[in-house]
Amino acid sequence: MGNLFETPITALHGVGAVRAKAYSKLGIENLNDLLFHFPRAYENRGDIKKLAETDGISKAAVILTVATAPKIARIRRGMSILKFRAYDESGSCEISYFNQDYLKTAFPLGETFRFYGKIERLGNKFTMSSPAYELYSENIALPDFMPIYPLSEGLNQKQLKQNVALALGMANQELSDYLPDDIRLENKLSTLMTALKEIHAPTSYAALANAKKRLIFDEFFLFSLGVNSAVKMQKESGAPIFKNTCISELCALLPYELTNAQKRTVADIAADVSTDTSMSRIVIGDVGCGKTVC
């Protein structure tokens, strides 16, 4: 996979010692670790609803235009609330953010945003508390699916998304697909690079499903290779050779003679232990058939 294993996470712009330490808590030390740090969920922000269409229970995405200038009120010492109203053709909504005074200039009058969050409804009144937001323009397409990543203290979703995007850009030049083309095509799988791009920034439900299919296939494929490699190494590792496999003295002590089936089984075992290849053999048979003496 190129040098992604060898490229430390600090190679990304904006990732210094502090953020690298936060990444380390997630087991992320290099770019390969980051690319395989998959989202735990996705928000479908492309399913736009009117305010009047929301159910007041689940989260929803709405496109609203700012109607009033944001104002800050001090609730008590150390706590403030920023409020403004925004609207669409079906109604208006009061939007609030707690202890985020820096957002006062983020919502100019007349600008349109895509907000995502739970919309409370009481009669014809709508409210949203601390929704996610993105500046909306008909000329600029916003992503429909927003990945939600596992985090550690010192990281937030925005930072992680930015870092993943940078890592994907670098990987596009370095990442090679280890899966042979004939196996990939036979199983109708996407390339590894396509799968990684879609798992981090899906363009559709179908694309996300294809990405998951490829990455799940890889887990089983690599696991199978590992098992086969371990078996091969075990066989080639060299077992102790038993040159003297004569058991006539033991047989002479037995109060009975071995059956022909027992003699064949003993001969098979003797042949195995006479070579330097590890023996993998199990003797099976009915109770009392003479497995123990073999």
Side-chain angles (χ1 to χ4, degrees):
M1 293 188 184
N3 296 317
L4 297 179
F5 281 108
E6 301 172 8
T7 306
I9 195 70
T10 50
L12 295 175
H13 178 71
V15 180
V18 174
R19 193 178 297 182
K21 186 176 181 180
Y23 272 121
S24 183
K25 294 177 182 177
L26 294 171
I28 299 173
E29 305 290 347
N30 53 54
L31 295 195
N32 190 77
D33 294 336
L34 180 60
L35 289 178
F36 284 84
H37 182 69
F38 299 143
R40 59 175 174 80
Y42 299 88
E43 295 175 346
N44 184 2
R45 299 186 185 179
D47 184 16
I48 306 298
K49 296 183 181 299
K50 301 296 183 185
L51 283 170
E53 296 172 340
T54 59
D55 59 16
I57 300 173
S58 54
K59 290 184 176 181
V62 290
I63 295 177
L64 307 177
T65 301
V66 178
T68 63
K71 293 185 178 180
I72 298 173
R74 303 295 171 185
I75 301 175
R76 58 176 181 269
R77 185 176 181 181
M79 181 173 287
S80 63
I81 184 171
L82 179 148
K83 289 185 178 182
F84 62 94
R85 298 196 70 81
Y87 67 92
D88 65 14
E89 61 189 47
S90 70
S92 67
C93 180
E94 183 179 78
I95 299 173
S96 58
Y97 292 90
F98 289 90
N99 288 338
Q100 298 183 61
D101 295 3
Y102 62 89
L103 292 179
K104 186 175 182 179
T105 59
F107 304 102
L109 276 172
E111 287 284 10
T112 301
F113 293 83
R114 182 174 73 178
F115 294 96
Y116 181 83
K118 185 176 180 181
I119 301 175
E120 303 282 354
R121 182 174 183 173
L122 182 61
N124 293 324
K125 294 183 178 180
F126 301 92
T127 62
M128 295 185 81
S129 178
S130 300
Y133 65 91
E134 299 154 285
L135 186 63
Y136 175 81
S137 170
E138 293 183 354
N139 301 322
I140 301 175
L142 294 174
D144 289 342
F145 296 91
M146 193 63 63
I148 306 299
Y149 292 94
L151 298 174
S152 66
E153 186 177 355
L155 287 174
N156 60 47
Q157 295 292 341
K158 184 178 180 180
Q159 293 169 339
L160 209 151
K161 292 184 186 83
Q162 290 174 341
N163 293 157
V164 166
L166 290 174
L168 284 170
M170 297 173 68
N172 205 30
Q173 306 298 322
E174 299 182 15
L175 188 66
S176 59
D177 200 327
Y178 48 78
L179 196 63
D181 285 341
D182 57 339
I183 295 178
R184 184 175 61 79
L185 294 173
E186 179 183 352
N187 291 278
K188 299 179 181 179
L189 301 171
S190 63
T191 64
L192 180 58
M193 193 67 231
T194 298
L196 288 174
K197 287 180 178 178
E198 290 292 345
I199 204 74
H200 287 293
T203 53
S204 67
Y205 279 118
L208 178 59
N210 287 334
K212 290 181 177 180
K213 178 183 176 182
R214 166 60 201 264
L215 295 168
I216 291 171
F217 181 92
D218 281 11
E219 286 194 32
F220 284 104
F221 182 75
L222 295 175
F223 176 77
S224 179
L225 286 181
V227 170
N228 289 337
S229 178
V231 170
K232 185 178 179 181
M233 287 179 62
Q234 183 183 27
K235 288 183 177 180
E236 296 177 350
S237 61
I241 299 174
F242 291 85
K243 294 181 179 180
N244 182 11
T245 58
C246 177
I247 59 168
S248 58
E249 292 185 18
L250 172 62
C251 290
L253 297 174
L254 297 175
Y256 54 85
E257 183 180 353
L258 296 182
T259 66
N260 289 333
Q262 290 170 338
K263 290 177 181 178
R264 287 195 302 271
T265 301
V266 171
D268 288 342
I269 296 172
D272 280 347
V273 299
S274 297
T275 69
D276 63 352
T277 301
S278 298
M279 178 179 67
S280 297
R281 180 179 294 279
I282 181 171
V283 179
I284 60 175
D286 295 333
V287 175
C289 70
K291 297 187 295 296
T292 304
V293 73
C294 290

Short mmCIF file of all heavy atoms in Angstrom, two decimals, residues 6-67:
data_model
loop_
_atom_site.label_atom_id
_atom_site.label_comp_id
_atom_site.label_asym_id
_atom_site.label_seq_id
_atom_site.Cartn_x
_atom_site.Cartn_y
_atom_site.Cartn_z
N GLU A 6 4.02 3.93 6.56
CA GLU A 6 5.20 4.62 7.07
C GLU A 6 4.98 6.13 7.22
O GLU A 6 5.84 6.82 7.78
CB GLU A 6 6.38 4.37 6.12
CG GLU A 6 6.73 2.90 5.95
CD GLU A 6 7.77 2.68 4.87
OE1 GLU A 6 8.31 3.68 4.36
OE2 GLU A 6 8.02 1.51 4.51
N THR A 7 3.87 6.63 6.71
CA THR A 7 3.60 8.07 6.79
C THR A 7 2.87 8.39 8.08
O THR A 7 1.70 8.01 8.25
CB THR A 7 2.77 8.54 5.59
OG1 THR A 7 3.40 8.14 4.38
CG2 THR A 7 2.61 10.05 5.61
N PRO A 8 3.51 9.08 9.01
CA PRO A 8 2.86 9.37 10.30
C PRO A 8 1.68 10.32 10.13
O PRO A 8 1.60 11.09 9.16
CB PRO A 8 3.98 9.99 11.13
CG PRO A 8 4.91 10.59 10.12
CD PRO A 8 4.85 9.67 8.92
N ILE A 9 0.77 10.27 11.07
CA ILE A 9 -0.42 11.11 11.01
C ILE A 9 -0.05 12.60 11.03
O ILE A 9 -0.78 13.45 10.51
CB ILE A 9 -1.38 10.76 12.18
CG1 ILE A 9 -2.77 11.35 11.95
CG2 ILE A 9 -0.81 11.19 13.52
CD1 ILE A 9 -3.53 10.68 10.85
N THR A 10 1.10 12.91 11.59
CA THR A 10 1.55 14.31 11.65
C THR A 10 1.94 14.85 10.28
O THR A 10 2.23 16.04 10.15
CB THR A 10 2.75 14.44 12.61
OG1 THR A 10 3.74 13.45 12.27
CG2 THR A 10 2.32 14.25 14.06
N ALA A 11 1.97 14.00 9.26
CA ALA A 11 2.28 14.47 7.90
C ALA A 11 1.12 15.29 7.34
O ALA A 11 1.29 16.03 6.36
CB ALA A 11 2.58 13.30 6.99
N LEU A 12 -0.06 15.17 7.95
CA LEU A 12 -1.23 15.92 7.49
C LEU A 12 -1.17 17.35 8.02
O LEU A 12 -0.79 17.59 9.17
CB LEU A 12 -2.51 15.25 7.98
CG LEU A 12 -2.81 13.86 7.43
CD1 LEU A 12 -4.06 13.30 8.09
CD2 LEU A 12 -2.99 13.89 5.92
N HIS A 13 -1.55 18.28 7.18
CA HIS A 13 -1.57 19.69 7.58
C HIS A 13 -2.52 19.90 8.75
O HIS A 13 -3.67 19.45 8.72
CB HIS A 13 -2.01 20.57 6.40
CG HIS A 13 -2.11 22.03 6.73
ND1 HIS A 13 -1.00 22.82 6.96
CD2 HIS A 13 -3.20 22.83 6.91
CE1 HIS A 13 -1.40 24.06 7.24
NE2 HIS A 13 -2.72 24.09 7.22
N GLY A 14 -2.06 20.56 9.79
CA GLY A 14 -2.90 20.84 10.95
C GLY A 14 -2.84 19.79 12.04
O GLY A 14 -3.47 19.95 13.09
N VAL A 15 -2.10 18.71 11.82
CA VAL A 15 -1.98 17.67 12.84
C VAL A 15 -0.62 17.79 13.51
O VAL A 15 0.40 17.40 12.95
CB VAL A 15 -2.15 16.25 12.24
CG1 VAL A 15 -2.02 15.21 13.35
CG2 VAL A 15 -3.50 16.12 11.55
N GLY A 16 -0.63 18.35 14.71
CA GLY A 16 0.59 18.48 15.48
C GLY A 16 0.66 17.43 16.57
O GLY A 16 -0.09 16.44 16.56
N ALA A 17 1.51 17.67 17.55
CA ALA A 17 1.72 16.69 18.61
C ALA A 17 0.46 16.46 19.44
O ALA A 17 0.16 15.32 19.82
CB ALA A 17 2.86 17.15 19.52
N VAL A 18 -0.30 17.52 19.71
CA VAL A 18 -1.50 17.39 20.55
C VAL A 18 -2.56 16.54 19.85
O VAL A 18 -3.12 15.61 20.42
CB VAL A 18 -2.07 18.77 20.91
CG1 VAL A 18 -3.39 18.62 21.66
CG2 VAL A 18 -1.07 19.55 21.75
N ARG A 19 -2.83 16.87 18.58
CA ARG A 19 -3.85 16.11 17.86
C ARG A 19 -3.37 14.68 17.58
O ARG A 19 -4.17 13.74 17.59
CB ARG A 19 -4.24 16.79 16.55
CG ARG A 19 -5.52 16.21 15.94
CD ARG A 19 -5.95 16.91 14.68
NE ARG A 19 -6.30 18.31 14.91
CZ ARG A 19 -6.74 19.12 13.96
NH1 ARG A 19 -6.87 18.67 12.72
NH2 ARG A 19 -7.03 20.37 14.23
N ALA A 20 -2.07 14.53 17.35
CA ALA A 20 -1.53 13.18 17.12
C ALA A 20 -1.74 12.30 18.36
O ALA A 20 -2.02 11.11 18.24
CB ALA A 20 -0.05 13.26 16.77
N LYS A 21 -1.62 12.91 19.54
CA LYS A 21 -1.85 12.16 20.77
C LYS A 21 -3.30 11.73 20.88
O LYS A 21 -3.61 10.61 21.33
CB LYS A 21 -1.46 13.03 21.98
CG LYS A 21 -1.52 12.30 23.31
CD LYS A 21 -1.03 13.18 24.45
CE LYS A 21 -1.07 12.43 25.77
NZ LYS A 21 -0.60 13.30 26.89
N ALA A 22 -4.22 12.61 20.45
CA ALA A 22 -5.65 12.27 20.47
C ALA A 22 -5.93 11.14 19.49
O ALA A 22 -6.72 10.23 19.77
CB ALA A 22 -6.49 13.50 20.11
N TYR A 23 -5.27 11.17 18.34
CA TYR A 23 -5.43 10.09 17.36
C TYR A 23 -4.87 8.78 17.91
O TYR A 23 -5.42 7.70 17.68
CB TYR A 23 -4.73 10.44 16.05
CG TYR A 23 -5.59 11.21 15.08
CD1 TYR A 23 -5.21 12.47 14.62
CD2 TYR A 23 -6.78 10.68 14.62
CE1 TYR A 23 -5.99 13.18 13.73
CE2 TYR A 23 -7.58 11.39 13.73
CZ TYR A 23 -7.18 12.63 13.28
OH TYR A 23 -7.96 13.32 12.40
N SER A 24 -3.78 8.88 18.63
CA SER A 24 -3.15 7.67 19.18
C SER A 24 -4.09 6.93 20.11
O SER A 24 -4.05 5.70 20.20
CB SER A 24 -1.86 8.05 19.90
OG SER A 24 -1.18 6.91 20.37
N LYS A 25 -4.95 7.66 20.82
CA LYS A 25 -5.92 7.02 21.72
C LYS A 25 -6.91 6.16 20.94
O LYS A 25 -7.52 5.25 21.50
CB LYS A 25 -6.68 8.09 22.51
CG LYS A 25 -5.80 8.87 23.49
CD LYS A 25 -6.61 9.96 24.18
CE LYS A 25 -5.74 10.78 25.12
NZ LYS A 25 -6.51 11.90 25.74
N LEU A 26 -7.07 6.46 19.65
CA LEU A 26 -7.96 5.67 18.80
C LEU A 26 -7.20 4.58 18.05
O LEU A 26 -7.78 3.88 17.21
CB LEU A 26 -8.65 6.58 17.79
CG LEU A 26 -9.63 7.62 18.34
CD1 LEU A 26 -10.07 8.59 17.26
CD2 LEU A 26 -10.85 6.92 18.95
N GLY A 27 -5.90 4.46 18.32
CA GLY A 27 -5.08 3.47 17.62
C GLY A 27 -4.64 3.95 16.25
O GLY A 27 -4.24 3.14 15.40
N ILE A 28 -4.70 5.25 16.00
CA ILE A 28 -4.32 5.81 14.71
C ILE A 28 -2.95 6.46 14.81
O ILE A 28 -2.78 7.47 15.50
CB ILE A 28 -5.36 6.85 14.24
CG1 ILE A 28 -6.74 6.19 14.09
CG2 ILE A 28 -4.94 7.51 12.93
CD1 ILE A 28 -7.87 7.18 13.81
N GLU A 29 -1.98 5.85 14.14
CA GLU A 29 -0.60 6.35 14.17
C GLU A 29 -0.14 6.83 12.80
O GLU A 29 0.73 7.68 12.72
CB GLU A 29 0.35 5.25 14.65
CG GLU A 29 -0.01 4.63 16.00
CD GLU A 29 0.20 5.57 17.18
OE1 GLU A 29 0.87 6.62 16.99
OE2 GLU A 29 -0.31 5.27 18.28
N ASN A 30 -0.71 6.27 11.73
CA ASN A 30 -0.27 6.62 10.38
C ASN A 30 -1.48 6.81 9.46
O ASN A 30 -2.63 6.63 9.88
CB ASN A 30 0.68 5.56 9.83
CG ASN A 30 0.08 4.16 9.92
OD1 ASN A 30 -1.02 3.92 9.43
ND2 ASN A 30 0.79 3.22 10.56
N LEU A 31 -1.21 7.15 8.20
CA LEU A 31 -2.30 7.42 7.27
C LEU A 31 -3.14 6.19 6.97
O LEU A 31 -4.35 6.29 6.77
CB LEU A 31 -1.74 8.00 5.96
CG LEU A 31 -1.04 9.36 6.04
CD1 LEU A 31 -0.88 9.96 4.66
CD2 LEU A 31 -1.81 10.33 6.94
N ASN A 32 -2.51 5.03 6.93
CA ASN A 32 -3.28 3.81 6.69
C ASN A 32 -4.29 3.58 7.82
O ASN A 32 -5.43 3.20 7.57
CB ASN A 32 -2.34 2.62 6.57
CG ASN A 32 -3.06 1.37 6.09
OD1 ASN A 32 -3.36 1.22 4.91
ND2 ASN A 32 -3.35 0.47 7.01
N ASP A 33 -3.84 3.80 9.07
CA ASP A 33 -4.77 3.66 10.21
C ASP A 33 -5.96 4.59 10.06
O ASP A 33 -7.10 4.22 10.35
CB ASP A 33 -4.04 3.97 11.52
CG ASP A 33 -2.95 2.97 11.84
OD1 ASP A 33 -3.01 1.83 11.36
OD2 ASP A 33 -2.02 3.34 12.59
N LEU A 34 -5.70 5.82 9.61
CA LEU A 34 -6.77 6.81 9.48
C LEU A 34 -7.76 6.41 8.38
O LEU A 34 -8.98 6.52 8.56
CB LEU A 34 -6.18 8.19 9.16
CG LEU A 34 -7.19 9.34 9.01
CD1 LEU A 34 -7.98 9.52 10.30
CD2 LEU A 34 -6.48 10.63 8.63
N LEU A 35 -7.25 5.92 7.25
CA LEU A 35 -8.12 5.53 6.14
C LEU A 35 -9.03 4.37 6.52
O LEU A 35 -10.14 4.24 5.99
CB LEU A 35 -7.28 5.16 4.92
CG LEU A 35 -6.57 6.31 4.21
CD1 LEU A 35 -5.73 5.79 3.06
CD2 LEU A 35 -7.57 7.34 3.71
N PHE A 36 -8.56 3.52 7.44
CA PHE A 36 -9.36 2.38 7.85
C PHE A 36 -10.06 2.62 9.19
O PHE A 36 -10.52 1.68 9.83
CB PHE A 36 -8.51 1.12 7.89
CG PHE A 36 -8.23 0.56 6.52
CD1 PHE A 36 -7.18 1.05 5.76
CD2 PHE A 36 -9.04 -0.41 5.97
CE1 PHE A 36 -6.93 0.57 4.47
CE2 PHE A 36 -8.81 -0.90 4.70
CZ PHE A 36 -7.76 -0.40 3.94
N HIS A 37 -10.15 3.89 9.58
CA HIS A 37 -10.96 4.29 10.74
C HIS A 37 -12.31 4.71 10.17
O HIS A 37 -12.51 5.85 9.76
CB HIS A 37 -10.29 5.45 11.47
CG HIS A 37 -11.03 5.91 12.70
ND1 HIS A 37 -11.13 5.16 13.84
CD2 HIS A 37 -11.71 7.08 12.94
CE1 HIS A 37 -11.83 5.82 14.74
NE2 HIS A 37 -12.21 6.99 14.22
N PHE A 38 -13.25 3.76 10.12
CA PHE A 38 -14.49 3.97 9.39
C PHE A 38 -15.54 4.68 10.25
O PHE A 38 -15.54 4.56 11.49
CB PHE A 38 -15.05 2.64 8.90
CG PHE A 38 -14.13 1.91 7.95
CD1 PHE A 38 -14.03 0.53 7.99
CD2 PHE A 38 -13.36 2.61 7.04
CE1 PHE A 38 -13.19 -0.15 7.11
CE2 PHE A 38 -12.51 1.96 6.16
CZ PHE A 38 -12.43 0.57 6.20
N PRO A 39 -16.47 5.39 9.61
CA PRO A 39 -17.57 6.02 10.35
C PRO A 39 -18.42 4.98 11.08
O PRO A 39 -18.56 3.85 10.62
CB PRO A 39 -18.38 6.71 9.24
CG PRO A 39 -17.42 6.90 8.11
CD PRO A 39 -16.50 5.71 8.17
N ARG A 40 -18.97 5.37 12.21
CA ARG A 40 -19.86 4.47 12.96
C ARG A 40 -21.30 4.64 12.52
O ARG A 40 -22.16 3.79 12.81
CB ARG A 40 -19.75 4.73 14.46
CG ARG A 40 -20.10 6.15 14.88
CD ARG A 40 -20.09 6.31 16.39
NE ARG A 40 -20.30 7.69 16.81
CZ ARG A 40 -21.48 8.29 16.87
NH1 ARG A 40 -22.57 7.64 16.53
NH2 ARG A 40 -21.58 9.55 17.27
N ALA A 41 -21.59 5.75 11.82
CA ALA A 41 -22.96 6.02 11.35
C ALA A 41 -22.90 7.11 10.29
O ALA A 41 -21.84 7.71 10.04
CB ALA A 41 -23.85 6.45 12.52
N TYR A 42 -24.07 7.36 9.67
CA TYR A 42 -24.17 8.42 8.66
C TYR A 42 -25.45 9.21 8.89
O TYR A 42 -26.48 8.64 9.26
CB TYR A 42 -24.19 7.82 7.25
CG TYR A 42 -22.96 7.03 6.89
CD1 TYR A 42 -22.88 5.67 7.19
CD2 TYR A 42 -21.87 7.64 6.28
CE1 TYR A 42 -21.76 4.94 6.88
CE2 TYR A 42 -20.74 6.91 5.98
CZ TYR A 42 -20.68 5.56 6.28
OH TYR A 42 -19.55 4.83 5.99
N GLU A 43 -25.36 10.51 8.67
CA GLU A 43 -26.55 11.36 8.69
C GLU A 43 -26.96 11.66 7.26
O GLU A 43 -26.14 12.11 6.45
CB GLU A 43 -26.27 12.67 9.43
CG GLU A 43 -25.96 12.50 10.90
CD GLU A 43 -25.56 13.80 11.57
OE1 GLU A 43 -25.27 14.79 10.84
OE2 GLU A 43 -25.52 13.84 12.81
N ASN A 44 -28.21 11.38 6.93
CA ASN A 44 -28.70 11.67 5.58
C ASN A 44 -29.25 13.10 5.55
O ASN A 44 -30.43 13.34 5.79
CB ASN A 44 -29.78 10.66 5.19
CG ASN A 44 -30.25 10.87 3.75
OD1 ASN A 44 -29.74 11.73 3.04
ND2 ASN A 44 -31.22 10.08 3.33
N ARG A 45 -28.37 14.03 5.22
CA ARG A 45 -28.76 15.43 5.18
C ARG A 45 -29.31 15.83 3.81
O ARG A 45 -29.69 16.97 3.59
CB ARG A 45 -27.57 16.32 5.54
CG ARG A 45 -27.04 16.07 6.95
CD ARG A 45 -25.96 17.06 7.32
NE ARG A 45 -25.36 16.75 8.62
CZ ARG A 45 -24.38 17.45 9.18
NH1 ARG A 45 -23.90 18.52 8.55
NH2 ARG A 45 -23.88 17.10 10.35
N GLY A 46 -29.31 14.88 2.88
CA GLY A 46 -29.83 15.18 1.55
C GLY A 46 -31.33 15.04 1.46
O GLY A 46 -31.95 15.47 0.48
N ASP A 47 -31.94 14.46 2.48
CA ASP A 47 -33.40 14.29 2.50
C ASP A 47 -34.02 15.56 3.09
O ASP A 47 -34.35 15.62 4.28
CB ASP A 47 -33.77 13.06 3.33
CG ASP A 47 -35.26 12.77 3.33
OD1 ASP A 47 -35.97 13.32 2.46
OD2 ASP A 47 -35.72 12.01 4.20
N ILE A 48 -34.15 16.57 2.25
CA ILE A 48 -34.62 17.88 2.71
C ILE A 48 -36.13 17.88 2.94
O ILE A 48 -36.90 17.38 2.11
CB ILE A 48 -34.25 18.98 1.68
CG1 ILE A 48 -32.75 18.95 1.36
CG2 ILE A 48 -34.69 20.34 2.18
CD1 ILE A 48 -31.87 19.24 2.55
N LYS A 49 -36.54 18.45 4.05
CA LYS A 49 -37.97 18.57 4.37
C LYS A 49 -38.32 20.04 4.62
O LYS A 49 -37.45 20.85 4.97
CB LYS A 49 -38.31 17.74 5.61
CG LYS A 49 -38.12 16.25 5.44
CD LYS A 49 -38.56 15.49 6.69
CE LYS A 49 -38.35 14.00 6.55
NZ LYS A 49 -39.13 13.42 5.42
N LYS A 50 -39.57 20.35 4.47
CA LYS A 50 -40.09 21.65 4.90
C LYS A 50 -40.31 21.58 6.41
O LYS A 50 -40.52 20.50 6.96
CB LYS A 50 -41.40 21.98 4.19
CG LYS A 50 -41.31 22.03 2.68
CD LYS A 50 -40.40 23.14 2.21
CE LYS A 50 -40.38 23.22 0.68
NZ LYS A 50 -39.40 24.23 0.20
N LEU A 51 -40.30 22.72 7.06
CA LEU A 51 -40.54 22.74 8.50
C LEU A 51 -41.85 22.05 8.85
O LEU A 51 -41.93 21.27 9.80
CB LEU A 51 -40.55 24.19 9.01
CG LEU A 51 -39.20 24.87 9.17
CD1 LEU A 51 -39.39 26.36 9.45
CD2 LEU A 51 -38.38 24.22 10.28
N ALA A 52 -42.88 22.30 8.06
CA ALA A 52 -44.20 21.75 8.35
C ALA A 52 -44.25 20.24 8.13
O ALA A 52 -45.20 19.58 8.58
CB ALA A 52 -45.24 22.43 7.47
N GLU A 53 -43.26 19.66 7.44
CA GLU A 53 -43.25 18.23 7.16
C GLU A 53 -42.52 17.42 8.23
O GLU A 53 -42.58 16.19 8.22
CB GLU A 53 -42.59 17.95 5.80
CG GLU A 53 -43.34 18.55 4.63
CD GLU A 53 -42.59 18.43 3.32
OE1 GLU A 53 -41.34 18.23 3.37
OE2 GLU A 53 -43.22 18.54 2.24
N THR A 54 -41.83 18.09 9.16
CA THR A 54 -41.06 17.38 10.17
C THR A 54 -41.99 16.81 11.24
O THR A 54 -43.08 17.34 11.51
CB THR A 54 -40.02 18.31 10.82
OG1 THR A 54 -40.69 19.43 11.42
CG2 THR A 54 -39.05 18.83 9.77
N ASP A 55 -41.52 15.71 11.86
CA ASP A 55 -42.39 15.01 12.82
C ASP A 55 -42.12 15.36 14.28
O ASP A 55 -42.82 14.90 15.18
CB ASP A 55 -42.27 13.50 12.63
CG ASP A 55 -40.84 12.99 12.82
OD1 ASP A 55 -40.00 13.72 13.37
OD2 ASP A 55 -40.57 11.85 12.40
N GLY A 56 -41.09 16.15 14.54
CA GLY A 56 -40.79 16.54 15.92
C GLY A 56 -40.13 15.45 16.74
O GLY A 56 -39.89 15.62 17.94
N ILE A 57 -39.81 14.31 16.10
CA ILE A 57 -39.20 13.19 16.82
C ILE A 57 -37.80 12.89 16.30
O ILE A 57 -36.82 12.91 17.05
CB ILE A 57 -40.08 11.93 16.68
CG1 ILE A 57 -41.47 12.19 17.26
CG2 ILE A 57 -39.42 10.74 17.38
CD1 ILE A 57 -42.45 11.06 17.02
N SER A 58 -37.71 12.63 15.01
CA SER A 58 -36.41 12.29 14.41
C SER A 58 -35.70 13.54 13.89
O SER A 58 -36.34 14.58 13.67
CB SER A 58 -36.60 11.28 13.28
OG SER A 58 -37.54 11.76 12.34
N LYS A 59 -34.41 13.43 13.68
CA LYS A 59 -33.65 14.55 13.13
C LYS A 59 -34.03 14.74 11.66
O LYS A 59 -34.40 13.80 10.97
CB LYS A 59 -32.15 14.29 13.25
CG LYS A 59 -31.63 14.34 14.68
CD LYS A 59 -30.12 14.18 14.72
CE LYS A 59 -29.59 14.33 16.13
NZ LYS A 59 -28.10 14.21 16.18
N ALA A 60 -33.91 15.98 11.21
CA ALA A 60 -34.28 16.29 9.83
C ALA A 60 -33.38 17.40 9.29
O ALA A 60 -32.76 18.15 10.05
CB ALA A 60 -35.75 16.71 9.76
N ALA A 61 -33.32 17.46 7.96
CA ALA A 61 -32.57 18.52 7.28
C ALA A 61 -33.57 19.50 6.68
O ALA A 61 -34.55 19.10 6.04
CB ALA A 61 -31.68 17.93 6.19
N VAL A 62 -33.34 20.79 6.92
CA VAL A 62 -34.21 21.84 6.38
C VAL A 62 -33.34 22.94 5.80
O VAL A 62 -32.21 23.17 6.25
CB VAL A 62 -35.14 22.43 7.47
CG1 VAL A 62 -36.20 21.42 7.89
CG2 VAL A 62 -34.34 22.88 8.69
N ILE A 63 -33.84 23.59 4.78
CA ILE A 63 -33.14 24.73 4.19
C ILE A 63 -33.89 25.99 4.58
O ILE A 63 -35.05 26.19 4.21
CB ILE A 63 -33.06 24.59 2.66
CG1 ILE A 63 -32.18 23.39 2.30
CG2 ILE A 63 -32.50 25.87 2.03
CD1 ILE A 63 -32.09 23.11 0.83
N LEU A 64 -33.21 26.83 5.38
CA LEU A 64 -33.86 28.01 5.95
C LEU A 64 -33.05 29.27 5.66
O LEU A 64 -31.81 29.22 5.57
CB LEU A 64 -34.00 27.86 7.47
CG LEU A 64 -34.71 26.58 7.98
CD1 LEU A 64 -34.69 26.56 9.50
CD2 LEU A 64 -36.12 26.50 7.45
N THR A 65 -33.76 30.37 5.55
CA THR A 65 -33.14 31.68 5.34
C THR A 65 -33.20 32.48 6.63
O THR A 65 -34.25 32.52 7.29
CB THR A 65 -33.86 32.45 4.22
OG1 THR A 65 -33.82 31.68 3.01
CG2 THR A 65 -33.20 33.80 3.97
N VAL A 66 -32.08 33.10 7.00
CA VAL A 66 -32.00 33.85 8.26
C VAL A 66 -32.90 35.08 8.18
O VAL A 66 -32.79 35.91 7.26
CB VAL A 66 -30.54 34.27 8.55
CG1 VAL A 66 -30.47 35.11 9.84
CG2 VAL A 66 -29.66 33.03 8.67
N ALA A 67 -33.80 35.21 9.18
CA ALA A 67 -34.78 36.30 9.17
C ALA A 67 -34.46 37.40 10.17
O ALA A 67 -34.84 38.55 9.98
CB ALA A 67 -36.17 35.74 9.46
#
